Amino acid sequence: MQSLLHTYRRYRTLKDDVIHALPIAILMPHSSCNCRCVMCDIWKDNKNAKELTLSDVEQLMGSLKKLGTRQVLLSGGEALLHSNFFRLCDILHTQKIHITLLSTGLLLKKHAAALVDSVDDIIVSLDGNEALHNSIRNIPGAFEKLAEGIAALRSIRKGFPVSGRTVIHALNYREWPAIIDTAARIGLDHISFLPADVSSTAFNRETPWDSSRQQEILIPKEQLPVLEEIIEYIIQRYAAEFESHFIAESPDKIRKIYSYYAAQHGLVAFPWKACNAPWVSAVIEADGTVRPCFFHEATGNIHKESLEEAVNGEKALQFRRELDMSRNATCMKCVCSLYLPPFADPRPGN
């Protein structure tokens, strides 16, 4: 349970746009990835791998403590490729920070014994059943390693929390029901869904994708009725899974995935979403770059200034003061919004 002082500081942040409290930090410890996903370009720069040093993380701790950070998400790339991953976790745990690992799942079995003591929960990527997942990941045996990793974690600690996340796009939307069944079969606690980002420079894109590249991932206009039928089938067929929150989103949020793809074809407006990510979180990349979220431009770098200075410098303040999410093109097309009220604790189970 968070303190009244922390809640007050978060209200102040929303009021004056100065980050007085930062409940969530997303760290990218390592820039490389061990998958070659069709909807992501991170792996294309593996030869230029970068990582946050232990000194970088130790220096961050002062800012994270002062800003009252409650949860750190270790993203990437694949965070488990970091040369001192578990020492990094030890440093974060000195401040009793909840650690969530976002992972491809390929290395879970190898590190299972250490992971159950070093992170608090894990979110894995799931793209389909065995054949489809391996095809989209472009890694032979990726599904088998994922399933074995989950089993290994649970064999060491029965209730260790592992959930899944699926990007729905042209290559897997027809298999959406099978993805839900597969998530249950391999023992995930929850599964969440989001559409594919095709327009930003996130995920290591030097420039936004051109139209031909987008069409590889976008669900075709003529197939939108099929997508809509599948969504309505899921809402009816998996009513119990929505009720139990095995499917993390509500039916209305699932329907917004249809609206997102319809908007990409100019048929409707992009669905509105509540988001306050730039006021409650920050992304620190493997080269030290600090962003207000995955999709917006950098506001600083921890190699040149403290995290507090990066999130509260003039560039960052101006960005938050001028940001109108209802009109900003990046926000309108965003696939991964975050909304955390001032009174809410970001840590799972709190």
Side-chain angles (χ1 to χ4, degrees), residues 9 12 145 218 272:
R9 287 174 174 168
R12 282 188 65 194
K145 291 178 181 178
L218 284 176
W272 181 86

Side-chain angles (χ1 to χ4, degrees), residues 326-340:
S326 66
R327 297 185 177 185
N328 181 277
T330 298
C331 292
M332 290 169 64
K333 296 180 181 180
C334 182
V335 300
C336 190
S337 60
L338 166 68
Y339 180 72
L340 189 70

Side-chain angles (χ1 to χ4, degrees), residues 1-15 21-24 68 70-71 253 272 274-281 337-347 350:
M1 188 172 180
Q2 68 183 23
S3 68
L4 289 175
L5 177 59
H6 182 79
T7 301
Y8 168 71
R9 287 174 174 168
R10 284 166 59 180
Y11 273 109
R12 282 188 65 194
T13 295
L14 296 177
K15 189 75 173 178
L22 188 76
I24 300 173
R70 298 289 194 262
Q71 181 185 26
K253 284 190 176 181
W272 181 86
C275 181
N276 59 2
W279 290 266
V280 300
S281 67
S337 60
L338 166 68
Y339 180 72
L340 189 70
F343 54 82
D345 193 319
R347 296 170 294 188
N350 287 276

Side-chain angles (χ1 to χ4, degrees), residues 128-131 143 147 150 178-188 246:
N129 58 18
E130 182 174 338
F143 181 87
I150 295 168
I179 295 171
I180 298 171
D181 295 338
T182 300
R185 178 166 58 85
I186 64 177
L188 294 178
F246 177 74

